[in-house]
Amino acid sequence: MLNYDIVIIGGGPAGMAAALKAKECGVDSILILERAETLGGILEQCIHTGFGLQYFGEELSGPEYASRFIDLVNKEKIEYKTDTMALEITDSNVVYAVNKKDGLLEIQAKAVILAMGCRERPRGALNIPGTRASGIMSAGTAQKYVNIDGYMPGKKVVILGSGDIGLIMARRMTLEGAKVECVCELMPYSSGLTRNIVQCLDDFGIPLYLSTTVIDIHGKDRVTGVTIASVDENRRPIPGTERLIECDTLLLSVGLIPENELTRAVGIGLDRVTNGAVVDEYRETDHEGVFACGNVLHVHDLVDFVTLESQTAGEGAARYVLGKKQKSDQVTTKGVGTVRYIVPQKINLNNEGDVKLFFRVGNTFKNATVKVKYNGNELISRKRPRLAPGEMESVLITKKMLDTFEKDGVIEISVEV
Amino acid sequence: MNYDVAVIGAGVSGAFAARELTKYNLKVVLLDRCNDVAMGTTKANSAIVHAGFDAVPGSLKAILNVKGNAAMSDVCKELHVPFKRIGSFVLAFSDEETVTLRKLLERGNENGVPGLEIYDSEKLRSAEPNVSDKAVAALWAPSAGIVCPYELTIAAVENAVKNGAEFIRNFRVSKIEDDGSVFTVSDGKQEVKAKYIVNAAGVYCDEIAALIGDNSIHTIPRKGEYMLCDKSSGNLASHVLFQCPTIMGKGALVTPTVDGNLILGPSAIDIEDKEDVATHADVLADILAKTQKSVPAVSTRDVITSFAGLRAHLESDDFLIGKSEKNGRFINVAGIESPGLSSAPAIGEMVAGIITEDCGAALNPSFDPVREEPVRFRHMSNEQRKALIEKNPAYGRIVCRCETITEGEILDAIHAPAGARDVDGVKRRTRAGMGRCQGGFCGSKVVELLARELGVEINEITKFGGESKILYERTK
């Protein structure tokens, strides 16, 4: 049995930021477990730029952003094992993992940080009828084939879903010589970042069809085309709007799901909206000593925010290991109406500083007001020119506000038009 | 190459025919037009081992179903294929349907089905709590079970190959010549010679028979669409749940699979195209509505994928197994639709019987009925895993995260007798890519491993053979 103060599951941007922060806070015994061959996570295949604007104030590619942290992990001599898959976390924070070199690893941790990231929703979850030909894959899989393996997964492409990876891949496939026929989005709005719609679709003349979905897939061996149709306000295809588009590839960018299999197996409480753990302001779950951060907790738009959140979790885990965790008297947070979720879901009133609440809305708004209430009393009212499901929002709950709250109180966030 | 028997079609019937034939001193070749075994009717069906009360007494379907069902436990033990004898219910929703249950029970008794019993609604609900409270009675058949049809077929072929049979894939038979004692079977590029032919070509049985001038078979592809639900809903049913056959059709079934998912379906639509396995939104919606009649809690939310299969239906509504009227060395195994999977061991035995009676082949003294159990890392204890990785480090690398499938298991699948040559083949043998992400992460790893082990470029790897390539040329 190995012993570490903190075991971090996942060596992507979340895991590395958490590790570095924990180290900075005075914990030396840290082990990162990474299932891929290298640290860096999904950033390694995101060779486009746009990373780091918030955190570094400069525009980096994914591998560049990752390498800054990989260099620091090496410099700080933080231990990590790549090609290593965590299989199980026990009630007493023993982590079982496996790799070719060490075989089965049994690691006792004082604290565990979950940083496993997320995966893409597959076709099956959408129930698209049609054939099961080759040429249907998630946008992220296509990204790996193009950027890591150096092979084209298609030449004539339809993309379903206007999530950021779908938009990025529309541009990437075009740059590599493929013809991207269109991007179809079921919703009346795109869930991707505005800058990606402009830079990846508009700049290349790729049409974005809103309120449109794929209702049939054709082709026996390889995809030969898809039928798309407009949908009504209940997202049901409108008869008569069907249209066949010839293509050899259908890329899916229809949402990301946090990878919480380990989390679920150990019995940690999950938020039904985020599909991630329910956490407090240090991102500690309801399982003592287990923290979660990054896309395994909730899906972020920008890696910069993942880094910041993971630093919070790293600090929390360090405080826990060093015995600095405060006695916990909690208030809960609650999204009202269009505010689909808030992270963290709980705040400890004995926390020593301000707490930022991150939330996401379920629709697009112009000139709306974000209202924050504590037990029904208004705390914050802030005009926002634009709100969109694709862009995470935040409000700051100051220490001063916290001091006026009482245990079991409720902080609500709502949007008024 | 010269063989005693060429079996055309590596579905479950062909596989068991080949395996049974290797019990004798016969040189057997198994041909399939696809890149793998179990690619036709066998791949997509209800995955049920029926008890045997459906078919008309005295029919081949009735006789072989009951016989195959009885043999299934031992066969699955020999082949190390999971088989669960969970029992089935036929649900009745009216007094009229209860009368039908009694008829089925009598028919079942006549067919020799053991243990049939009519349950009242109370007894039914205590056995199957999620069943609709509108079900007034049910026919209980304890001998019904579930098995994975392609796993069974893969195992049977592996065992046949181990016992000397040869498997040739991508062999689409287009010409058969007979010199009176030896057939020459060709696909236009290669040929094999065999004294006997077993025509187990599923929906293509009629076309294969026509190659020797036997035009007596007319196969009607009858499409069945299905939905597969996530394992989280697998506990909604713990038995196979049929509906009463009515004049409106056979109804839909709800059944758990051996892997813990739930299957809903099938539809039954006669079509022309023998390759058309597309699914349709309206058909799937209809299946859902029908299955909700049996288990109201079934929901689209849990559906992880849909698929369709083609039954090889004959107008006679029975299996057609025997020597062709045109040629006594040409054995038709046609019309193998439900209960074909249930009957497969008995079909294999019957086919071997016909041939050995004709040629008088002696028993093969070195026949080994056992197919070694494949490594299943996910089912092992940590101690077993430790020992396994020490022996072979490839089992220490997880390739499919959702289903916890190791590189070692994938290498085993590729290097097994009649092993996997494409991504779907690896998936069917190991479950890599069958989990929640449906191959999103591991798909490209499986492609890499296939390319490495088969010594080809990764853009030559296909999803399921033919033109189903996954990648085109290199990027610029």
Side-chain angles (χ1 to χ4, degrees):
Chain A
M1 171 104 78
L2 301 171
N3 280 282
Y4 284 89
D5 283 350
I6 301 178
V7 170
I8 299 172
I9 304 177
M16 290 193 289
L20 287 162
K21 189 70 180 180
K23 174 94 184 185
E24 187 189 316
C25 293
V27 177
D28 283 325
S29 162
I30 301 171
L31 176 66
I32 302 174
L33 303 176
E34 167 55 45
R35 56 192 163 196
E37 294 85 348
T38 56
L39 293 177
I42 209 72
L43 285 175
E44 294 298 325
Q45 67 182 53
C46 302
I47 63 170
H48 54 283
T49 60
F51 302 92
L53 281 167
Q54 306 270 338
Y55 189 74
F56 290 113
E58 54 184 309
E59 198 168 10
L60 305 172
S61 69
E64 283 172 327
Y65 190 97
S67 75
R68 296 212 174 176
F69 289 89
I70 296 171
D71 290 348
L72 285 172
V73 165
N74 286 324
K75 187 169 154 243
E76 295 295 330
K77 298 194 168 54
I78 293 170
E79 286 180 64
Y80 58 87
K81 288 181 185 294
T82 54
D83 229 337
T84 303
M85 177 85 181
L87 297 173
E88 185 192 350
I89 305 165
T90 69
D91 273 342
S92 50
N93 294 346
V94 173
V95 177
Y96 287 94
V98 68
N99 68 26
K100 277 181 161 178
K101 194 165 134 274
D102 306 292
L104 190 83
L105 292 155
E106 194 179 359
I107 313 157
Q108 176 69 60
K110 286 181 186 152
V112 176
I113 301 177
L114 307 173
M116 294 89 83
C118 59
R119 62 165 177 266
E120 298 176 279
R121 277 178 77 201
R123 169 190 181 184
L126 308 174
N127 290 323
I128 310 172
T131 65
R132 301 164 66 75
S134 183
I136 307 162
M137 66 180 78
S138 69
T141 304
Q143 189 178 45
K144 182 185 177 270
Y145 282 130
V146 175
N147 292 349
I148 305 285
D149 300 327
Y151 283 91
M152 287 296 279
K155 293 173 181 168
K156 218 166 149 55
V157 184
V158 168
I159 298 177
L160 175 61
S162 60
D164 287 311
I165 313 172
L167 301 175
I168 294 287
M169 283 313 290
R171 176 175 63 185
R172 187 79 191 107
M173 296 294 285
T174 305
L175 290 174
E176 286 294 342
K179 172 92 173 77
V180 177
E181 297 293 335
C182 62
V183 176
C184 300
E185 171 58 58
L186 179 69
M187 305 302 284
Y189 52 82
S190 166
S191 59
L193 294 169
T194 309
R195 73 170 193 219
N196 282 337
I197 294 174
V198 175
Q199 295 171 8
C200 301
L201 299 188
D202 298 353
D203 288 359
F204 294 89
I206 299 167
L208 169 62
Y209 300 137
L210 297 174
S211 297
T212 301
T213 193
V214 171
I215 59 163
D216 205 354
I217 301 172
H218 313 279
K220 191 171 75 69
D221 282 359
R222 179 82 195 188
V223 172
T224 56
V226 298
T227 304
I228 66 171
S230 305
V231 297
D232 61 20
E233 61 275 21
N234 296 317
R235 299 180 217 168
R236 277 193 299 257
I238 302 169
T241 63
E242 300 87 355
R243 177 144 84 96
L244 176 72
I245 299 190
E246 281 181 24
C247 60
D248 58 29
T249 305
L250 175 65
L251 297 187
L252 303 173
S253 176
V254 289
L256 299 167
I257 306 167
E259 277 214 85
N260 273 300
E261 279 60 48
L262 289 173
T263 324
R264 205 171 281 122
V266 70
I268 289 170
L270 297 181
D271 182 317
R272 287 189 50 199
V273 179
T274 59
N275 285 312
V278 170
V279 292
D280 69 9
E281 75 280 10
Y282 277 116
R283 306 300 186 266
E284 186 173 6
T285 67
D286 61 9
H287 186 106
E288 194 174 319
V290 177
F291 297 74
C293 57
N295 283 348
V296 78
L297 183 59
H298 58 129
V299 176
H300 295 65
D301 335 312
L302 298 176
V303 68
D304 307 50
F305 295 147
V306 167
T307 300
L308 293 170
E309 176 174 85
S310 305
Q311 290 173 341
T312 305
E315 185 183 345
R319 291 169 64 90
Y320 176 81
V321 167
L322 300 170
K324 290 188 195 161
K325 186 183 162 183
Q326 302 285 353
K327 176 173 158 294
S328 196
D329 295 317
Q330 291 177 327
V331 293
T332 55
T333 64
K334 193 178 155 208
V336 178
T338 190
V339 177
R340 294 185 56 237
Y341 75 78
I342 303 172
V343 171
Q345 292 85 348
K346 300 176 289 189
I347 303 175
N348 181 3
L349 295 177
N350 303 319
N351 177 49
E352 289 150 7
D354 303 342
V355 175
K356 212 176 214 180
L357 298 182
F358 295 89
F359 65 96
R360 215 177 263 283
V361 294
N363 215 328
T364 48
F365 297 94
K366 275 192 177 143
N367 298 319
T369 308
V370 172
K371 300 245 180 201
V372 183
K373 293 176 184 169
Y374 172 73
N375 286 352
N377 303 316
E378 188 171 303
L379 285 179
I380 300 171
S381 174
R382 199 159 50 114
K383 276 250 181 256
R384 299 281 288 125
R386 190 178 170 277
L387 294 168
E391 301 192 15
M392 198 157 67
E393 298 288 327
S394 66
V395 291
L396 192 71
I397 304 296
T398 61
K399 175 65 184 156
K400 218 170 123 192
M401 290 178 193
L402 279 181
D403 285 341
T404 67
F405 298 170
E406 281 170 22
K407 190 170 175 255
D408 300 330
V410 179
I411 302 171
E412 289 180 334
I413 303 181
S414 60
V415 172
E416 289 176 13
V417 186
Chain B
M1 273 296 279
N2 294 310
Y3 301 90
D4 293 308
V5 188
V7 179
I8 301 173
V12 72
S13 304
F16 273 94
R19 177 175 185 255
E20 285 299 322
L21 288 163
T22 60
K23 291 182 177 172
Y24 298 86
N25 282 329
L26 292 169
K27 208 160 158 35
V28 179
V29 65
L30 179 60
L31 309 174
D32 200 278
R33 69 195 176 90
C34 294
N35 201 33
D36 202 354
V37 306
M39 287 295 283
T41 303
T42 300
K43 189 173 66 172
N45 54 66
S46 309
I48 292 168
V49 176
H50 292 270
F53 51 76
D54 277 314
V56 180
S59 65
L60 272 181
K61 279 187 179 179
I63 296 163
L64 296 175
N65 183 351
V66 173
K67 213 173 151 195
N69 178 306
M72 200 60 79
S73 298
D74 286 342
V75 165
C76 287
K77 212 172 275 171
E78 288 170 349
L79 297 177
H80 285 105
V81 172
F83 169 55
K84 294 181 182 164
R85 211 178 272 286
I86 57 174
S88 70
F89 286 110
V90 182
L91 307 177
F93 292 92
S94 66
D95 291 346
E96 197 189 338
E97 290 188 354
T98 311
V99 175
T100 311
L101 293 188
R102 287 191 203 292
K103 281 185 196 151
L104 287 174
L105 180 128
E106 278 165 30
R107 187 180 267 195
N109 286 340
E110 209 176 320
N111 287 348
V113 179
L116 292 176
E117 200 182 323
I118 306 258
Y119 277 25
D120 61 19
S121 61
E122 200 182 324
K123 206 169 169 191
L124 167 65
R125 241 169 304 286
S126 78
E128 192 66 88
N130 293 310
V131 86
S132 163
D133 52 17
K134 295 202 174 71
V136 294
L139 174 64
W140 167 238
S143 64
I146 49 176
V147 70
C148 174
Y150 49 79
E151 200 169 348
L152 182 65
T153 306
I154 288 165
V157 173
E158 278 187 19
N159 186 240
V161 172
K162 178 181 172 181
N163 285 297
E166 205 175 310
F167 172 56
I168 305 180
R169 58 189 98 213
N170 300 316
F171 194 118
R172 182 188 282 266
V173 175
S174 59
K175 196 173 170 192
I176 300 174
E177 285 172 330
D178 182 23
D179 69 2
S181 58
V182 175
F183 290 106
T184 303
V185 182
S186 155
D187 70 347
K189 292 172 296 220
Q190 49 190 333
E191 55 180 48
V192 298
K193 289 182 187 298
K195 291 176 195 144
Y196 291 87
I197 286 176
V198 176
N199 172 19
V203 291
Y204 288 97
C205 269
D206 49 358
E207 293 174 33
I208 296 296
L211 294 177
I212 62 148
D214 178 350
N215 294 307
S216 64
I217 305 171
H218 175 54
T219 312
I220 306 158
R222 180 169 285 180
K223 191 196 265 194
E225 298 188 25
Y226 291 90
M227 283 176 278
L228 190 72
C229 296
D230 190 74
K231 288 180 181 173
S232 59
S233 61
N235 56 6
L236 283 179
S238 43
H239 307 88
V240 182
L241 302 176
F242 298 105
Q243 292 171 349
C244 234
T246 66
I247 43 164
M248 299 302 290
K250 272 181 89 174
L253 67 87
V254 178
T255 176
T257 70
V258 282
D259 294 304
N261 301 81
L262 202 65
I263 286 188
L264 316 177
S267 57
I269 300 163
D270 291 348
I271 59 169
E272 300 286 322
D273 184 352
K274 290 175 177 172
E275 299 284 323
D276 173 12
V277 286
T279 53
H280 301 86
D282 52 339
V283 175
L284 296 176
D286 183 52
I287 290 170
L288 188 75
K290 280 183 180 161
T291 50
Q292 279 171 335
K293 189 180 170 192
S294 300
V295 181
V298 164
S299 137
T300 37
R301 227 191 29 226
D302 303 321
V303 174
I304 55 171
T305 189
S306 61
F307 61 90
L310 302 179
R311 310 170 181 88
H313 182 67
L314 298 181
E315 246 162 66
S316 64
D317 202 25
D318 197 8
F319 299 155
L320 173 71
I321 302 173
K323 294 177 180 176
S324 163
E325 284 168 14
K326 294 282 177 191
N327 193 322
R329 292 177 293 108
F330 187 95
I331 318 300
N332 283 312
V333 183
I336 312 300
E337 56 180 339
S338 175
L341 173 63
S342 324
S343 309
I347 292 173
E349 213 172 288
M350 183 173 170
V351 170
I354 294 168
I355 291 174
T356 52
E357 194 181 304
D358 200 79
C359 70
L363 282 169
N364 170 8
S366 57
F367 177 79
D368 179 357
V370 177
R371 175 247 196 178
E372 299 301 329
E373 187 171 13
V375 168
R376 296 282 178 253
F377 186 85
R378 64 190 179 283
H379 296 320
M380 292 180 152
S381 69
N382 282 335
E383 283 69 37
Q384 290 172 312
R385 288 169 174 176
K386 212 177 257 178
L388 182 70
I389 301 166
E390 269 165 34
K391 240 176 34 201
N392 182 352
Y395 294 108
R397 182 164 176 242
I398 307 289
V399 174
C400 168
R401 308 160 177 184
C402 301
E403 297 286 313
T404 320
I405 309 301
T406 63
E407 183 177 315
E409 290 164 86
I410 292 171
L411 299 186
D412 290 346
I414 297 169
H415 297 298
R421 290 290 173 274
D422 50 43
V423 174
D424 284 358
V426 169
K427 178 166 145 181
R428 280 190 295 275
R429 284 168 180 80
T430 64
R431 292 191 66 77
M434 272 194 198
R436 292 168 203 93
C437 88
Q438 294 282 301
F441 284 121
C442 66
S444 65
K445 299 265 179 210
V446 171
V447 169
E448 270 169 42
L449 289 172
L450 277 164
R452 189 184 84 195
E453 297 301 310
L454 302 175
V456 299
E457 284 295 309
I458 70 168
N459 60 351
E460 290 173 53
I461 300 300
T462 63
K463 185 170 187 284
F464 50 81
E467 299 302 310
S468 69
K469 279 190 181 165
I470 291 171
L471 299 170
Y472 290 95
E473 69 273 18
R474 281 199 154 276
T475 50
K476 290 185 278 187

